[in-house]
Every structure is written in structure tokens, then in C-alpha cells.
Amino acid sequence: MTGTRAIYSQLVRELFERLPHAGDLGPGAGTAVHGEAMALDRGAWVRFDARIEDGRVVDCSFRAWGCPHTLAAAALIASRLHGEGIGNEAAFDALRLARELGAPAEKLGRLLVVEDALSGMLARAHALQ
Amino acid sequence: MTGTRAIYSQLVRELFERLPHAGDLGPGAGTAVHGEAMALDRGAWVRFDARIEDGRVVDCSFRAWGCPHTLAAAALIASRLHGEGIGNEAAFDALRLARELGAPAEKLGRLLVVEDALSGMLARAHALQ
Amino acid sequence: MTTAAPIYLDHAATAPLDPQVAAAICECLRDPGLQGNAASVHAPGRAAAVRVEQARAQVARLVGAEPGSIVFTSGATESVNLAILGAARAAGANLHHLVTARTEHRAALDACRQLEREGFAVSWLATGSDGSADPAQVASALRPGTALVSLMHANNETGVINDIAAVGQLCLERGVTFHVDAAQSAGKLPIDVQAMNVALLSFCAHKLGGPKGIGALYVRHRPRPALQPLQFGGGHERGLRAGSLATHQIVGFGVACELALTRLADDAARVRALRERLWAGLQAAAPVERNGGTEPGLPGILNVRFPGIEGESLLLSLDGRLAASSGSACSSASAEPSYVLRALGLSDLAAQASLRLSLGRATTGEEVDRAAALLVASVNRLRALLPAGAIERIA
Amino acid sequence: MTTAAPIYLDHAATAPLDPQVAAAICECLRDPGLQGNAASVHAPGRAAAVRVEQARAQVARLVGAEPGSIVFTSGATESVNLAILGAARAAGANLHHLVTARTEHRAALDACRQLEREGFAVSWLATGSDGSADPAQVASALRPGTALVSLMHANNETGVINDIAAVGQLCLERGVTFHVDAAQSAGKLPIDVQAMNVALLSFCAHKLGGPKGIGALYVRHRPRPALQPLQFGGGHERGLRAGSLATHQIVGFGVACELALTRLADDAARVRALRERLWAGLQAAAPVERNGGTEPGLPGILNVRFPGIEGESLLLSLDGRLAASSGSACSSASAEPSYVLRALGLSDLAAQASLRLSLGRATTGEEVDRAAALLVASVNRLRALLPAGAIERIA
Ligand SMILES: Cc1ncc(COP(=O)(O)O)c(C=O)c1O
Ligand SMILES: Cc1ncc(COP(=O)(O)O)c(C=O)c1O
């Protein structure tokens, strides 16, 4: 087992410390959508929940099991989506996440799980339009 | 090269420090005899000189090239012979010297050179009787 | 930001230097009379050699050996390699078989793998679900061509103890050389190489309060196992280990062994009690499981499993406040799930949900209580954000 | 009885620890934040790793290397063995030949002899009467199957320097791995592994004011020579050298290298001048000869021969007052005449009449004058009791 020698970037450390938007959606208006992806063998399990109203993400939250990069990536996405218009969301693919978080290459597999959960939720959100 | 790890006995250190009877015989009465043995390959070269009067060793000295055990053995013998009656000399063979001086086994070859030089001198002394 | 020093519960990776040992090393480093090479015949060399030999006697006493049977090395890794590679390579032409267990330290595993590349056959024993190697299994693995049996005394991840005396008896009867990796147990458990019929025993200073970078291999006198050295170059250490001796390191090792022997029983009782207090405190983070059984085991090791928790995230949660290991620090270059926990029957996920907490002489009750509180809080925080069903799936 | 500390002129066996290095080591040993294992991910582990990497950069700079090409070992003996055994054993199936010289240190000689036992062929070059290996001879010893050329930079007994850059160029052209034993020269002579085209370079801390028990092997990045490790067990040091890193030892090594590099030119000039002052003082014991020529050579080594003198008796005469070596301290288990001096053409007797006086940074002019006076008195005393003709026969 043992941890990796990866030094976590400042951004990962900050996000991990606070983990904004972790847990469940608060009560509120709009239509709830979610997306979930799980790859236990790769070491990640992520679920996003959002509430959509008038084509905007009015609330967003995540739940996750995984390493600090996985949790930080999920928190980063949930924070960015909040208040965003559907169709305007930035492209949160695994490579971009890895770059932004300064994650080492061996974490890509897990960040793909984050990407998958997000794609699933966004697909449902788009379907609402 | 390098020295040996032998720890010198107290007796060897004392004899080596003073080297009693080293050098030449003083002026005096009696008949001069000597004995010399050299084995450069074994690391020793020893010469004893003595003056014999009325069957006694009235003076004795040595010259030597060799390790501390060799020099100490020669000095020990010269001291003991001094004043001794010919025929009464203790048996100074190499094994006895090694025991008395606490010399390690690998020094026996050199102590044999000391023994040889002594025997040579004593043979001449006996011949005088 | 946490500014207080973290609670150190990683003594199995390396123990902090005992202050008495630090004092002895620094005195030695600064003594103008001890700067010589212990191999030199002059006064400063002999003074260094005297200190080396005093320390050799202290080190030997810890394991019930004669001073002349101790060979100084750079650590347990070197000792283990010298024993395993050395004994195998020096063994007769028709002795091409070794017996070891799958839960050994990487030093032993990798040395045995190297021997496989050199043409040796290795019997890799599976341990029982309690984590220990069964002497009966060792017995049935022995062949006429067996050169060596190598087993650890206590496991570095779980603290599980092997029955060394039983295997020693067996090897004695069968005339097989027996090597024991005692890196974790030396100074923690009583060791008597004679009574245990051990031919070769490896240990090091830094696990028992001594300095890093110095270890020892006990090499029995009679019968003396043949060993091919790992490094050559002059007659140091009975021809088994060339290289100038590090006087200060050896002096520190000696003092550490002497302290460890004096305090062994007291330390063991104290540390064991603290470990149980920690375990009790962790119940507030239930579900929590103990890996590697309870007793007997090394007094200082508690390996626990928190279902639903990912190890790396737990470690980062604790970062700067609690220093522990999600495995053996010696293999932390890799992030693979522990093969030791896997051998106990744990899944990859369960292994990754595990944490090794290792206590030592310096550990206090107050630290243990704070550590438990920290762990409970971190586990609860991480569990609060799990997707539904994760605790059940990841255990 | 002499009570004053002896004059230490045995720096080539081991140099006294520089006080700044001692301070750095002791600070490190006592820092609660640096007690972790540098392989651990937690804060105390990372703090140790940071210090290790700082030191690696200091050590690398001394020889003009990148930090990532330095592998820490337990000393020069291990580095030399890792280079020679490691490169030969990892070489291709049809690379079974090595080139080295007869005047190498025992570490290199014995490693090469071990390889002969393993089936390698070794070309043992004779050195010229000046004691150095001739690059042209190296060139003609190379074969299509040559796996390695191993030569020392400066000889530990005579201080004679080999033309490393010339041999490096040769090995580059012929695509042969080149190892240099720089245990005596590191910190004393400028070294640039890149400019010298060296693939592997061994050195250690204790010859240059650092602690005993720590050394380094420079392993070139491109092309990277293949090496089989001596000890296995986890991924430390780029997989080349398993075992927990000794933080305090490495920190001390780093400081020592930094000091040595800063002071290299000044130290060399000062020490060289002191050595010539010593040589001038010894003329009062004429006949006295200098072994190994004059220049160029290591600044600190003066190997002298006193015809008619037996080495062991000379050493005991000086005992407690002057610490010097009648040869390499590293091989003092044996009392055989130096093979290095024999290779210079000296007889056994002449070799036994020789003494290595080695000076270092801590040596003072007053010490040198006292040492000369002591030596002259001792030589004269021993000569006074020689049998007639001995001075002529033993020279
Ligand atoms: C059981 C065991 N053997 C060997 C070692 C290797 O010790 P070192 O890294 O000090 O050489 C360790 C250290 O983790 C260990 O726990
Ligand atoms: C040229 C040379 N190589 C290698 C060594 C071995 O160094 P250590 O004993 O510190 O391992 C020495 C030490 O005497 C040396 O002088």
C-alpha cells in the first residue's frame, strides 16, 4: 500500500481542506439531475448532483470516494458549475483537470472517473433543455 | 604494507622504549665473542656481542634491524646474559621468547633469527671454556 | 495551519533517535581522539577500534550472541541481502533451493527474486490467515537441495510474529541454514540466537532508537554458514564486509542496543498498553477492524481498517498532525496495495482502507488520545461525503 | 608518557570531521522534525527528504554532476563494488572483459578478483615507474568484449594521479563504460565528470572532512550504464541501492562537499606547501627518498623511504606522538609489503622502510615541523642500533 510520493499542489490542498459542495443538494427549486461513475479497481467513485432551473445550474454538489486529487477535482467542478448556464460549461476533461490540479500522470485513470460522472450528469441536464 | 594489529605487551613496550644494551660493547676486560643471524626476507637481522671473563658474561650488547618484538627480544637477552655464568644461561629459544614477550605466532620466524644469533655467540663462548 | 509538531505514530518506519544515543554520537563525532580509522594501528585508530569493539559487545548482547559473531553493515536491508544472497551464492553446487514467505519485507523478497534470476528455485510460502508462517509448512517445503530458509521474526506492517524457535529447531535437524530478519523485533521482543537455533540474524539501529545507516548481521560461529560478501576490498569484519567502519554510527548503535535491552520488558508493557488505549479510542470511528489479529504481536503495531476510507485521502487529512503509514515506508516508492495485507485475505480495497499506526518508546498517553480523536474526526469527515453504499462496498 | 594528542598525519586513511560538518550532523540528529524516514509521505518524512535532496545537490556539485545522477552508498568501498560488480554483471552476454590497474585500491582489486571467479577476464595493467596508468596501454588492452575500464583518479598510498580525461576520451570513442575511483581525489582535485567523460565515479565523505559510513556513486544519465544492484529491496535511489537513507549522514556529506568545493584551491595550495615544508624538514634524516615521484600528485600525500628502517619499529617509536601509516589503512589487516610500492619497482625491504604521511585541511605548520623533528629523531635512534651495512642492504 503506502502513499505516493506525489506532492499535492496548493490548489489540491486548498480544495481538499474545504471540499466545497461536498454532500447533498440543499432544498430548492429546479429539476434535479445526477451523474455517477464508479471504478473501484482504479480507486475512484464519484457522483454529482445538480438542480437545474431556466437552463442554469442553481445548485451543485458531489459525493466521492477516492484520493485527494479525485476529491479535489470533484469539488472544483461542483464549484465552477454552480450558477453556470447549461451549454456554457467549460470542458472539464481529465487531462485539463490533471493540468489545473498539477496531478501526476498515474492519477489520470481516476480523473477519467470524475469526467465520466460529470458527463453523465450534463447529458441529463442537456436532455432537459 | 601497513602495520599489524598486534597490540604490544607491556614488556615489549618497555624494552622497546629503553632498548637496554643496544649498540656496542663498552671498553673492558675479557674475550670478545659475537653471533650474528640475518634473514632479511623474514624481516630480522640480529647481532650479539659479549665479553667473557672467568666463564662469566661481563658485558653484552646487541645490534638489530627488525620489528619491535625482534628488538625487544634482543634487548631482553642482552640484559639477562649480563653477569651470567656461561653454561648457566637460561634457554632463550624462540618459543620461550614469544611466550615471555606475548608475541603473536607470525613473529616466530623473526624470533628464530634472534635465537640463531644467540646460539652462534654462545657456541663461541662455550668454545672458550 | 497546524503549527504544533505532528504526533509521530510511524515508529515501524523509523524511530526517533533516543536522546542518549544522540549525545553519544555527538560526543564521538567531536572527540579529537576518536577521529582515526579503526583499522589503523596508531593511537587514534586503536582508540576508535576500542569503541567499536565495546559497541559490538553491546549489539551482540541484545540478541544473545558473542561479539565476534556480529558483522556491521549499513542497515537491515544490507544485512538481509548479505544473508540471503551471500548464503545462496556460497552454497554448494547442488544446493539451489530456498524457502521463504510471501509476507517478508521487500529486502528479502527482492533478494530472493534476484536469486531466481540467478537460477535458484524459491518456495514462496503462503501464510495462514493469522499472517504467520506455519513451521509445518516450512518442514514440508524443505528438500535435499535446500540452501537456506529465510523468515522474518515480526512483520513490519502487521506486527505478526513467526515461531522462530520452532523453525530453528527444524533447520537444525535438517542441517539447513536459517536466516531471520529481526529488523522489527530486535529490541522489542527477547531474542536469543542460540536458543532459537538461528544461523544468521539481521537487524538495524534506526528501528530501536539508534541512528539510520547502521545495521548488523549475526553470523553463527559453529557451524559457521558460508557467505559470499556483497562488497569486497580488504579484510574488515572477518572478510565478510569490506569498508572503513563508521565509529560514531557503531557507537550509537551500541548505546541504543544497551538501552533497548535494559528497558525491553518495561517498554513492551507500556507500549502495548498504549496501543490498546489507542484501539479503544478508535471504536468511536466504528466500523473499524484490526488487521493481523491481536496477540501475540509486536507491542507497538496497530494495523487498522476503516471501511469506506481511501488511504491517501486519510493520510492527507492527517497531514501535519499525525504521521502514520498506509504501509511499509520502505516500499513507498510504489502506491500498490500492501501484499502483506493481501496475504491476510484482504481485498485491494480493504488494504487501501488500512492504516499502520506504530508506537514507540517516546509515545505518550496524551498523544495516543489526541491521535484517536484526530483519526475519528478525519474518518467521519471522509465518510460523510461517500456515495451511498460505499462503506459496504469498500471494506 | 606522552599526554599531548598525537600529530595526525593520516588524512588519507580518514580525515578528522570538519567542525561545521559535526555541527550540521548533530543539529540534524536532534531536530525532532527530521526524525522521519525520507521515504515516508508524511510531514516528518518529507522534511527529511528535502534535506536529503539539498545534500544530493551539494554532493553532485563537487564533481560537476546533476543531483539526479548521485546514488548514496555506505562509503567508497560500496560505491566501487557497485560500479565494478554492478556494471560487469549487468553487461551483455558477450561483454566479459575488464581493464584495471594493479595499483588500484583493494576495493577495486578484490571486486575484479571476484569477477574473475565469476568467469570474467581482467587485464591487469602494470603502471609505469612513475606509478600512473598509461592511457596508451589502456587503449591497447581494450577488446570488442570489454565491459568496463576501472581506474583510480589518485592513488591512496603515493598520491600519484592518473590522466582520467585521456582515458575518458578513449572510452567514449570505444563505447566502453568507464569507472573512476575518486575516493582520494574528491574535494582535493577539481573533478568534472562531464568534461572527463566518466560514466561512474566513486567517492566518500570521510576522506574530505565528512562522516564515515556514507559515500556516493555518480551514475551518468546519458548514456546510462546498466548496473546490477548489490542489495535489493524497494525502489530507493533509482532502484540502484535499496535501504532507508541515513539523513544525518547525507546532510553531513553535503556540507562537507560544499566546504571542500569552496576551499579546494586554497586548501590544495596550503597543504601542498606544508607537505614540501615537511619534506625539507626530513632531509635531516638523510638518506631519505620520496616514493611516487614529485608532481603532479595529490597535495596532501608524502610517501617517504628511510633506508635501513623497519616500518613497524618506526611506527611504534612514533606511537602516541605521530599518527601515520606504513600503508593504506584500509588493508591493515595484513602486514604484507605494499603492492603499490612494489609496483613502483621497490623491493619488499624498501617498501617496509616506507611511511605514508598524509596532510589535510587541519594540518598546521607547527605540526609539520614537530613531525619532522620527531621522525628525524626516531630514524636516527633506530639507525644507531643497526648492524654494520644495514642501511646499504635495506633500501
Ligand atoms: C522487516 C524489515 N526488514 C528490513 C528492513 C530494512 O531496513 P533498512 O531500510 O533500515 O535497511 C525493514 C525496514 O523497514 C523492515 O521492517
Ligand atoms: C582510493 C580508495 N578507494 C576506496 C577506498 C574505500 O573507502 P571506504 O573504506 O571509506 O569505503 C579508499 C579508502 O581508503 C581509497 O583510498
Side-chain angles (χ1 to χ4, degrees), chain C residues 80-145:
Chain C
V80 166
N81 276 269
L82 176 53
I84 296 179
L85 298 177
R89 289 171 179 168
N94 38 21
L95 295 175
H96 269 92
H97 174 246
L98 315 171
V99 178
T100 191
R102 296 195 189 147
T103 50
E104 295 294 301
H105 187 267
R106 280 289 296 275
L109 295 187
D110 289 358
C112 288
R113 284 195 198 116
Q114 170 62 22
L115 288 171
E116 284 185 327
R117 286 190 287 273
E118 295 177 17
F120 288 82
V122 178
S123 294
W124 299 97
L125 302 184
T127 48
S129 62
D130 69 343
S132 74
D134 180 2
Q137 255 194 290
V138 175
S140 55
L142 294 179
R143 307 181 197 164

Side-chain angles (χ1 to χ4, degrees), chain C residues 365-383:
Chain C
E366 182 270 334
E367 283 180 322
V368 154
D369 296 340
R370 264 200 296 142
L374 269 170
L375 272 163
V376 169
S378 294
V379 166
N380 288 342
R381 171 175 181 254
L382 290 172
R383 282 204 182 127

